[in-house]
Amino acid sequence: MISSGDYAPPEAQIDWLTGMMRGSAVQEATKTLRDMARLFHDADSLRRMDENTVVYRVQWTEPVAQGTTGGLFWGSTIIEPGRVGDEYFMTHGHFHSRRDRGEYYGTIGGKGLLVLMDESRATRTDAMFPGSLHYITGGLAHRVVNTGDEPLLFGACWPSDAGHDYSSIKAKGFGARVLLRGGGPAVIHA
Ligand code: S6P
Ligand code: ZN
């Protein structure tokens, strides 16, 4: 029920120029190379890097409890530019635990590739650039790769009962990697 009363600022706000969120309802997580140990294919290059290097940061708000039917969450992700050897910085990537739950991604700044994979491991990529809007069909694992020289910023909206399944990605990865080849990014299928 909506009650009338004094104006109260929202508990979460977003700066649309930077994607950054703030407010009492905003949660935050930072992922470093240490958190992503086995996701990059070049273990030797990874060993030579500082494991405290930040790869990406996520800010999000959960206005209802996880698992609630019909609710929506919002999050912003900022992926730093960089590579481990020839492999560009990226998110872990995941399926939704409930495979029929989709998601929107919208790019705020920077450039990259959205990597999408179905259960049979068929993998494709979509270009991400400022203003690009991506509807991620339920059942597709999704990962974002920063192929540019600047931070890649995107917003995401997903159902509160989607859940996250990281296990198969941790075990087998995606069906393709985004690697530096000939001075630019190339999608290399396994
Ligand atoms: C959640 C949504 C994003 C990611 C974030 C980090 O469904 O897809 O908020 O959580 O981009 O990626 P990952 O794969 O580490 O969760
Ligand atoms: Zn997701």
Side-chain angles (χ1 to χ4, degrees):
M1 193 172 91
I2 297 176
S3 56
S4 60
D6 293 334
Y7 170 77
E11 292 173 351
Q13 296 164 55
I14 181 167
D15 178 338
W16 288 106
L17 295 179
T18 64
M20 299 302 298
M21 298 174 68
R22 63 188 167 89
S24 58
V26 177
Q27 304 182 59
E28 191 164 321
T30 299
K31 303 293 178 184
T32 64
L33 286 175
R34 186 191 299 109
D35 302 315
M36 304 190 68
R38 282 178 296 280
L39 293 180
F40 293 97
H41 78 128
D42 184 347
D44 289 337
S45 292
L46 184 63
R47 258 193 299 278
R48 287 192 292 272
M49 296 176 74
D50 180 352
E51 61 180 8
N52 295 313
T53 303
V54 172
V55 179
Y56 65 99
R57 197 143 57 96
V58 189
Q59 298 178 307
W60 74 97
T61 178
E62 299 180 357
V64 295
Q66 286 189 31
T68 302
T69 304
L72 294 168
F73 294 158
W74 176 272
S76 293
T77 303
I78 300 148
I79 309 175
E80 296 298 327
R83 290 192 318 270
V84 176
D86 59 0
E87 188 165 20
Y88 293 90
F89 279 9
M90 59 190 178
T91 60
H92 275 78
H94 56 267
F95 285 100
H96 289 159
S97 305
R98 297 186 70 152
R99 295 292 200 264
D100 62 353
R101 297 305 196 251
E103 181 162 2
Y104 266 115
Y105 278 2
T107 312
I108 298 164
K111 68 173 180 179
L113 291 172
L114 170 59
V115 184
L116 299 165
M117 178 178 76
D118 69 17
E119 297 275 6
S120 75
R121 302 188 53 75
T123 303
R124 68 178 174 86
T125 58
D126 283 353
M128 296 181 76
F129 50 87
S132 67
L133 185 63
H134 308 268
Y135 176 68
I136 301 167
T137 310
L140 295 182
H142 36 291
R143 161 181 282 169
V144 174
V145 183
N146 183 353
T147 60
D149 301 326
E150 296 174 15
L152 172 57
L153 316 165
F154 64 94
C157 184
W158 67 100
S160 45
D161 62 354
H164 293 91
D165 172 6
Y166 293 97
S167 56
S168 68
I169 302 299
K170 277 187 178 152
K172 292 185 184 170
F174 280 67
R177 292 184 182 275
V178 183
L179 305 177
L180 175 68
R181 288 286 183 274
V187 180
I188 309 294
H189 288 264

